[in-house]
Amino acid sequence: MANGQSGVFVGSAGLVWRRQRVLWWVFVVNLILASFAARTITSRVAPVLNHSLASIPLLVQGFHVSAMDELGGPPAEYLTVGPTHVYYSVIFFFFMLLATGGILEAYWRDSSPTTGEFFQSGGNYFWRFFRLVIFLLLVLIPVGIVAVAARGIGNVIDEKSISPFPWVWFELGSVLLVVFLLMSVRLWFDMAEIIAVAESETRSRKCLRRGAKVVWHNFGSLFWLYFRISFVGWLVFASGMHFWVHHIGHASITKSLLVSQLIVLFWLGARFWQRASETLWYKNYLSRPESESVAPAPSPYEPSLVASAR
Amino acid sequence: MRVAPIRVAWLLLVLVASGNIAFAQAPNATATRSEKQPLSVRVVGYQIDAKYDAVKHTINASEVLTYKNLTGQPQQTFPFHLYLNAFQPQSTFMTEVRLQGTRGTGADSSWDPKHFGSITVSKFAVDGAGDLTNKMEFIHPDDQNTNDKTVFQVTLPKPVPPGASVTFHLDFQDQMPEVLERTGYAHDFVMVGQWFPKVGVWWKNAWNCHQFHANTEFFADFGTFDVKITLPQNEVVGAGGDLVSTVSNGDGTKTVTFHSEDVHDFSWSASPTFTDVEDSWTGSAGEVKIHILMSPGHLGTAKRYLQALKGTLHLFDEWYGPYPYDRITVIDPPHGGLDAGGMEYPTLVTAGTSWFVPKGLLLPEGVLEHEFGHQYWYGMVATNEFEDAWLDEGINSYTEVKIMNELYGFNTSVVKTHWGTMGEPEEQRMTYMTRPDADPIARFAWQYMGSSSYGGVTYGKTATMLLTLEKIIGEDTLRRAIHTYFMRYRFTHPTGEDFLKTIEEVSGQNLRWYFDQSVYGTQILDYEVLGVNADPLNWWEKRQSRSGPPPGGMYRNTVLIHRNGDFIFPEDIQVKFENGETVIEHWDGRDRWIRYTYDKGSKVISAEIDPDHKVWLDRSFFNNSMTVKQDTHATRKLSDLWVFGTECLGQLLAWLT
């Protein structure tokens, strides 16, 4: 089992590397949308900064907090640009909803789809995955309740102790619990999406039930796989931020942009790696004889990718 | 530095003092201080015997106040402060908090019954006049709020002649609130400030005894304090006085006795969980014993506190004058008790930290420096904090800038991280910018538009005004002026004019034009470069080539400067040309605009107002300069950060898919 998991861990990284085109696609779309979002602020600050000698020593050669405050503060409030960036992030969210089907197809088939095939797959799965997002939001409600309850208990602990540490440790523990719950829920829904693609299952609730069974019976191995990749992602993100802050000079605008984009790319890559690993894991899982008790045989009425994969 | 965990301190003290147990301050061996020449004119002498109930958070006390009538005229009516009565929903203080908020409390805040505080005088007697308890009447000198009980007065049967003394005997009971506004309890910690009936000050030929307001602090006469506090034996006590004795009462309580002189207030704090970090520092007036009472989970900050405190003591001693007391006690409020933090009392200050404050955020250092600075600006130069708040908070914010800059760097004295920096001058200017034109500096503290205006103007604008003054009279001259002001007015109650006249006297300049605008006015200072242009002198003649020199080789360069605000200030303008030539113009700044014209063989490339960056009052630094050629680095940097932030937000949302 351990060897198998190790194979999935490394093999799925290879899968992301082989099918990196989809990763680049998504990254570029996010970058373009974010660039559009930044146009508003650029147009507001450019007249203030581009011809001012103060902009270079305050913002470029040394990043002064007060300079940002002056830009953002009254009366002009140049940094107040409304929720444009939120709108573009929501657009990216819907793009990802559309793209996820194509991404999973690419990983399931281990082939590079054409643009048309990619979006055709995305279109095929869009409403199924949209429904899954609705279910996910419903499932996140109890997680939110846990988080709110933990905050309430934390406040009580906070009020009762003269030392800050009981609260600190409790908060740390509750954050870890909530993160664990979020990861578990995501793992479950990831698996439901993979089942939808692998078995061309159109019924979202059935995907969720099967996903739940698979995750329930294999939680340790699946969570360990998911966690390890998450950990690598966090590590790369933290290291990237550290490198950016400590080793890229304030005046190195291009290097700064490059590093920031690499951070975004690796973060996205880690998420794709999780998708690929879960897909690969599910393929391996279906090839195991004991999996039959959980995964039903493909329906003869539905042309199945599973069948072709076998 | 010696860190003495309380258990070790217990053991040592039991062994050494045979019955004398945990206290934060060792009895002062040099108990002959009272034999020295008094530093102040001692108007009051307080003897207080207090018992603290650590469960109910109440204090039962008797007070003997000897008041020496140095007013030069007979006095028959005496007003007293009862500050703790401010913590009641219908008080003037709470009414103002509800309207405009105050430190730590927002406007429209709801009433929490735990915040109830009170002080009740159950007996008021006067030597020679008997019991006058029924003669006490609450007065409201600042408003018509009859529900406010923070000031009362008593008229004696006969006046106290000039030069004579009168002795008052009071019994009073305090109910401490859950900590807010500098005072109260949190868990088993208690900060006891403004806790006893305190007589008003005869000032400017009248009694000065204001009600307690949301934005005001305090004002009192100098004198001596002999205070006995009986409290549970396990309490570690810090107080604004020399510890005279500690006596175990054998009933689970102890009585600690403190003596303090040439001060105008006495406060104390206690908690069984304090860890006393002791050290000392020697300045020009002798040794100063340092006690830092650290709360649980905060011990990691003790070293930072100590470093900041010693550096501050040293620079105040060197720049402004000696610290004459033999002690300074720092109270570090516990987690949940931070509302007691950031406050000053004579020889005792409260600081503020958390279980984790990154080294690059110099907040604990800044707070402690500021509160210690009040030993000079409030403690010794005892200005009226009700009416001239800028003289303590504002001058103190300026000296905070100078000292923090010296200790931690000009651009890094508030934030010193790899990602960004901020210095004290910028922080003070930022505070000022929050509400720059609502109120003048010289305004009674409770008459400001709101707490943000009070904070922004009293602290930030005064500091920024003094920083800008350095450009006019020089940094060294201003330092000498402040030194002169301190030495001349310590242990007195100077006015704003005393301060301003001292600056004029030391600098030898008439600065009324500046003070009228910056101290007494609300004008905004904002000059901008409106245009920088280079035009061929013979513009009508055809050029040989687009990039070549114009016909005749000469340009008409123009620089247009505009005064945006109403504040008139002489400005330097630096104009730079392509050939490296630099011209400095001096403009009196009076007109609304001025245009400089230069006919030269070289094109102007930039113009900058205040090239030395000393006019901190200027509202916008970005419009102080203009370049012909654009530089998009700053815009790109901000834009790239925005892109990164939006991408991250997008990917977080995409996690749901």
Side-chain angles (χ1 to χ4, degrees), chain A residues 19-279:
Chain A
R19 310 298 161 214
Q20 58 178 276
R21 193 171 155 211
V22 289
L23 173 64
W24 285 107
W25 249 106
V26 173
F27 169 73
V28 167
V29 168
N30 195 12
L31 177 61
I32 290 169
L33 288 171
S35 301
F36 275 117
R39 280 177 62 186
T40 320
I41 194 159
T42 305
S43 64
R44 278 178 70 83
V45 300
V48 184
L49 301 179
N50 286 359
H51 290 275
S52 175
L53 289 170
S55 67
I56 302 301
L58 293 182
L59 292 175
V60 179
Q61 286 163 0
F63 202 67
H64 287 202
V65 178
S66 61
M68 291 296 285
D69 182 75
E70 186 171 332
L71 271 180
E77 298 181 344
Y78 292 108
L79 301 181
T80 307
V81 292
T84 321
H85 56 294
V86 178
Y87 297 152
Y88 281 100
S89 300
V90 170
I91 294 172
F92 180 69
F93 162 81
F94 280 107
F95 171 78
M96 279 301 290
L97 200 57
L98 178 67
T100 303
I103 294 164
L104 292 181
E105 278 276 21
Y107 290 158
W108 181 254
R109 291 171 181 272
D110 195 3
S111 65
S112 294
T114 63
T115 307
E117 288 169 343
F118 181 81
F119 284 109
Q120 191 180 4
S121 303
N124 284 342
Y125 296 108
F126 182 83
W127 289 111
R128 261 175 273 183
F129 288 179
F130 184 79
R131 285 195 294 276
L132 285 176
V133 169
I134 304 292
F135 284 123
L136 176 69
L137 291 174
L138 291 174
V139 172
L140 288 181
I141 289 172
V143 178
I145 291 169
V146 168
V148 170
R151 174 58 56 90
I153 296 167
N155 287 342
V156 172
I157 291 170
D158 188 32
E159 282 173 15
K160 285 194 172 171
S161 170
I162 198 166
S163 169
F165 288 113
W167 171 80
V168 169
W169 294 124
F170 181 83
E171 281 288 302
L172 184 64
S174 57
V175 166
L176 289 176
L177 173 68
V178 169
V179 168
F180 170 77
L181 290 175
L182 288 173
M183 289 169 78
S184 303
V185 169
R186 187 63 260 175
L187 186 59
W188 170 23
F189 278 76
D190 278 2
M191 203 48 71
E193 288 177 343
I194 288 164
I195 288 167
V197 170
E199 299 170 17
S200 292
E201 177 57 66
T202 55
R203 288 162 297 180
S204 302
R205 273 184 281 189
K206 198 169 181 185
C207 292
L208 279 174
R209 277 199 302 275
R210 284 191 200 166
K213 276 184 185 172
V214 170
V215 171
W216 181 257
H217 290 288
N218 303 277
F219 184 77
S221 61
L222 269 172
F223 187 82
W224 177 232
L225 188 63
Y226 188 92
F227 174 78
R228 274 190 297 168
I229 299 170
S230 299
F231 185 77
V232 171
W234 296 330
L235 200 65
V236 170
F237 188 88
S239 306
M241 292 299 286
H242 184 271
F243 182 77
W244 187 9
V245 168
H246 288 82
H247 300 289
I248 302 294
H250 286 294
S252 304
I253 308 295
T254 307
K255 280 186 199 167
S256 179
L257 174 68
L258 199 65
V259 170
S260 70
Q261 292 312 305
L262 280 173
I263 291 171
V264 172
L265 181 64
F266 276 107
W267 179 6
L268 197 61
R271 180 74 187 117
F272 277 49
W273 186 7
Q274 283 174 336
R275 297 288 201 172
S277 69
E278 289 155 352
T279 311

Side-chain angles (χ1 to χ4, degrees), chain B residues 155-196:
Chain B
T155 301
L156 309 186
K158 58 181 183 180
V160 179
S165 293
V166 58
T167 302
F168 302 96
H169 298 265
L170 298 90
D171 289 347
F172 67 93
Q173 296 79 42
D174 291 337
Q175 172 63 60
M176 301 305 292
E178 190 178 65
V179 70
L180 84 160
E181 286 297 320
R182 323 167 177 93
T183 199
Y185 66 89
H187 305 290
D188 50 11
F189 159 85
V190 67
M191 179 67 226
V192 185
Q194 310 304 337
W195 59 290
F196 58 91

